[in-house]
Amino acid sequence: MSESAAKRGWIVGLTGASGAAYGVRLVERLLDMAYPVHLLITDAGWRVLKEELDWDAAKRAATIETKFAGRNARATYYPIQDIGAAVASGTFRVNGMVVAPCSMGTLAAIAHGLSDNLLERAADVTLKEGRKLVLVPRETPLHAIHLENMLKLARMGVSIVPASPGLYHRAQTVEELVDFMVGKTLDSMGIDHELYRRWGEGSPHDEAE
């Protein structure tokens, strides 16, 4: 990791799809690796954080400060309707953006160039500036519109990383499944990690067999 890339950091968005743990774990890993994070959470994303992880959605900025304290970089939280925030401009330098989890509504908005909130605007800026954009959709089953929107984005160079963790590493906990998906996301971002053992490296549970 170059010093300039570390200073630029990443934009991370969380939306109303199930799977808030994917986004939270990704932020934790980026901060631990000294990447600053510019954090965007939709109103529906806050609802999922409350339902799935018991986060306090009433005190949003304070909750973020508490949850990500004591790491090697800082998570800066932006209210979702703050269209004038730094990340809304292409002149604000970042390495790229990840939306994890990404709802089908947000994915559709990005595919069609909408900018109804700061997350959508930041994604639009990421595309127009030619930066890395990674989406982690979590939905099933998928209908034709979902698939057409993903295809449209993939043809534009967006990395689509469906939240479908592999089982070959024989995970024993939900946390290991989450780490697998976060690891796949980091792979798409071009960031080295050791969150899971790759195919051919053996199972982490071989010693116990």
Side-chain angles (χ1 to χ4, degrees):
M1 174 181 61
S2 69
E3 183 178 355
S4 60
K7 288 181 178 178
R8 285 197 297 269
W10 290 83
I11 300 171
V12 177
L14 282 75
T15 72
S18 181
Y22 295 127
V24 171
R25 182 65 169 143
L26 176 64
V27 172
E28 291 174 346
R29 294 303 301 139
L30 289 172
L31 296 177
D32 287 345
M33 291 185 283
Y35 286 102
V37 170
H38 307 281
L39 187 59
L40 312 175
I41 306 175
T42 65
D43 290 337
W46 276 107
R47 173 68 182 269
V48 175
L49 284 164
K50 183 177 186 299
E51 295 290 339
E52 295 185 351
L53 301 178
D54 294 322
W55 279 32
D56 186 351
K59 300 176 180 179
R60 299 183 176 186
T63 297
I64 295 300
E65 190 71 28
T66 299
K67 294 294 183 180
F68 298 119
R71 298 186 181 271
N72 295 326
R74 183 170 183 266
T76 302
Y77 172 68
Y78 302 83
I80 198 64
Q81 297 303 331
D82 185 7
I83 296 298
V87 293
S89 173
T91 62
F92 185 75
R93 298 188 68 187
V94 291
N95 295 309
M97 179 174 179
V98 183
V99 184
C102 184
S103 68
M104 291 299 105
T106 295
L107 190 144
I110 295 170
H112 292 277
L114 303 183
S115 297
D116 289 338
N117 60 42
L118 182 58
L119 190 155
E120 294 169 10
R121 170 59 184 168
D124 190 58
V125 167
T126 301
L127 286 172
K128 80 180 184 70
E129 296 295 327
R131 296 169 182 153
K132 188 69 177 176
L133 178 59
V134 181
L135 305 182
V136 183
R138 212 302 314 166
E139 184 63 273
T140 191
L142 299 168
H143 58 60
I145 296 175
H146 297 155
L147 296 168
E148 287 170 357
N149 286 335
M150 289 184 203
L151 179 59
K152 181 176 183 178
L153 289 167
R155 284 174 170 163
M156 295 171 64
V158 176
S159 296
I160 307 295
V161 185
S164 53
L167 300 179
Y168 59 82
H169 61 305
R170 286 183 277 179
Q172 302 296 299
T173 66
V174 171
E175 287 75 17
E176 287 180 304
L177 292 173
V178 170
D179 276 352
F180 181 91
M181 278 313 310
V182 172
K184 294 293 286 184
T185 304
L186 290 169
D187 287 345
S188 291
M189 298 163 70
I191 297 176
D192 292 334
H193 66 88
E194 296 181 355
L195 284 177
Y196 65 83
R197 294 201 184 186
R198 300 179 186 278
W199 183 256
E201 293 181 351
S203 166
H205 307 291
D206 283 346
E207 296 82 359
E209 293 179 355

